[in-house]
Amino acid sequence: MEDQVLNIEADGMIPEGEYQSVKVNGNATNSGFVCANTIEIKGNATFNETVEAASITIDGDLSLTGIIRTEQLIIRGNAEILGKIEAENIVIDGNAEIKDEVTAKEITFKGNVQSESVLTAEKIKMELVLTGKDTIRAGHMEVVGRIEFDGTIEAEVFIAKAFHRGYIKVLKAGQIELMHPFFLMHPTSLIYRDIFTVDHIECNRIYAESIGVSSIKAEDIELSKRCIVEEAEYLNTLIATENCRILNTEKIEE
């Protein structure tokens, strides 16, 4: 790689080429394939072509319609992702709107993220707000903030400790733990609010506290602290405390 440093302080282009480092404090657009060791964006950048770098840090604003390939992507500013991202590690500590495929080894959401395409990672941790649709695939996914996802989440292990009202349309996993500390329910109906809800769950084992589910299909189900379930199908065991409500249960025949 050429020992070349590019600093853009005002408006300018990032020419096609190889760089040791690229720093943008003004406004910049790449005019071709860019390869660099480090890229730092403190102003505004538009990547229309493929960008490859060991590390990319966004403290300003990023608009992506090309492709990013990087070992580490850190977004502390704002990003509109209309192109694909392939990375080892992604940390979003600002605001990001993702509309194309993202593939990574590890993803951490510390800011506000909206995902509308397929997101795949070995490990995902969500700490603030994640909204979106389509599909999330993970080996291990942990949610400790708020999630509103009108799509399918597939994981080997899914753990959610949601501190606000949340929603998932379809959740499929090997092992699931859902724990929601806040719960308000009308005493004589299934009308509930300020509760974590899931339309459909398929898993091997689930432990849940204070959540609402339309249907669960699992080998083993354990419910506690006022869970509300409309349909529960189980293969081996179904355990529920007295303050849980299950409208219909069915034991699956092997």
Side-chain angles (χ1 to χ4, degrees), residues 76-89:
R76 290 191 287 254
N78 303 293
E80 183 181 27
I81 311 299
L82 304 175
K84 295 182 180 180
I85 295 178
E86 300 172 7
E88 286 289 312
N89 184 44

Side-chain angles (χ1 to χ4, degrees), residues 78-246:
N78 303 293
E80 183 181 27
I81 311 299
L82 304 175
K84 295 182 180 180
I85 295 178
E86 300 172 7
E88 286 289 312
N89 184 44
I90 299 174
V91 178
I92 300 178
D93 200 8
N95 302 295
E97 185 177 357
I98 302 171
K99 294 189 176 181
D100 208 332
E101 294 183 19
V102 174
T103 304
K105 185 174 182 180
E106 186 171 341
I107 302 175
T108 303
F109 298 128
K110 296 183 179 181
N112 298 298
V113 178
Q114 181 178 352
S115 177
E116 298 182 2
S117 187
V118 179
L119 191 149
T120 304
E122 293 181 16
K123 184 178 180 180
I124 298 175
K125 185 172 183 180
M126 197 279 290
E127 298 181 2
L128 192 58
V129 178
L130 172 64
T131 61
K133 57 185 179 181
D134 207 318
T135 306
I136 294 176
R137 299 188 181 100
H140 185 283
M141 184 169 179
E142 182 178 357
V143 177
V144 293
R146 175 172 178 174
I147 184 169
E148 296 280 349
F149 198 75
D150 190 20
T152 300
I153 296 178
E154 301 174 357
E156 294 177 15
V157 177
F158 183 89
I159 299 173
K161 299 177 183 179
F163 294 98
H164 300 282
R165 181 178 64 250
Y167 169 76
I168 297 172
K169 185 175 183 180
V170 178
L171 177 57
K172 299 180 180 181
Q175 179 178 337
I176 297 175
E177 294 182 18
L178 303 177
M179 290 159 279
H180 188 281
F182 301 119
F183 183 90
L184 293 173
M185 183 184 76
H186 192 280
T188 59
S189 73
L190 286 177
I191 298 174
Y192 45 85
R193 56 191 177 91
D194 293 333
I195 188 173
F196 193 95
T197 62
V198 183
D199 281 352
H200 179 69
I201 292 176
E202 292 182 19
C203 63
N204 295 333
R205 181 189 179 277
I206 179 172
Y207 173 79
E209 297 178 359
S210 301
I211 66 160
V213 183
S214 295
S215 65
I216 299 176
K217 186 175 183 179
E219 294 181 7
D220 299 286
I221 301 173
E222 184 176 356
L223 307 174
S224 180
K225 296 182 180 179
R226 297 184 178 179
C227 287
I228 301 173
V229 177
E230 295 183 21
E231 304 282 343
E233 295 182 59
Y234 66 99
L235 178 62
N236 300 318
T237 60
L238 172 60
I239 300 172
T241 59
E242 292 182 357
N243 52 8
C244 292
R245 301 180 64 185
I246 306 175

Side-chain angles (χ1 to χ4, degrees), residues 66-85:
I67 299 173
I68 284 180
R69 296 189 182 99
T70 182
E71 294 178 13
Q72 179 171 270
L73 173 62
I74 299 175
I75 300 174
R76 290 191 287 254
N78 303 293
E80 183 181 27
I81 311 299
L82 304 175
K84 295 182 180 180
I85 295 178

Side-chain angles (χ1 to χ4, degrees), residues 8-19:
I8 299 177
E9 298 293 336
D11 295 341
M13 298 289 294
I14 305 175
E16 179 176 350
E18 297 185 358
Y19 302 89

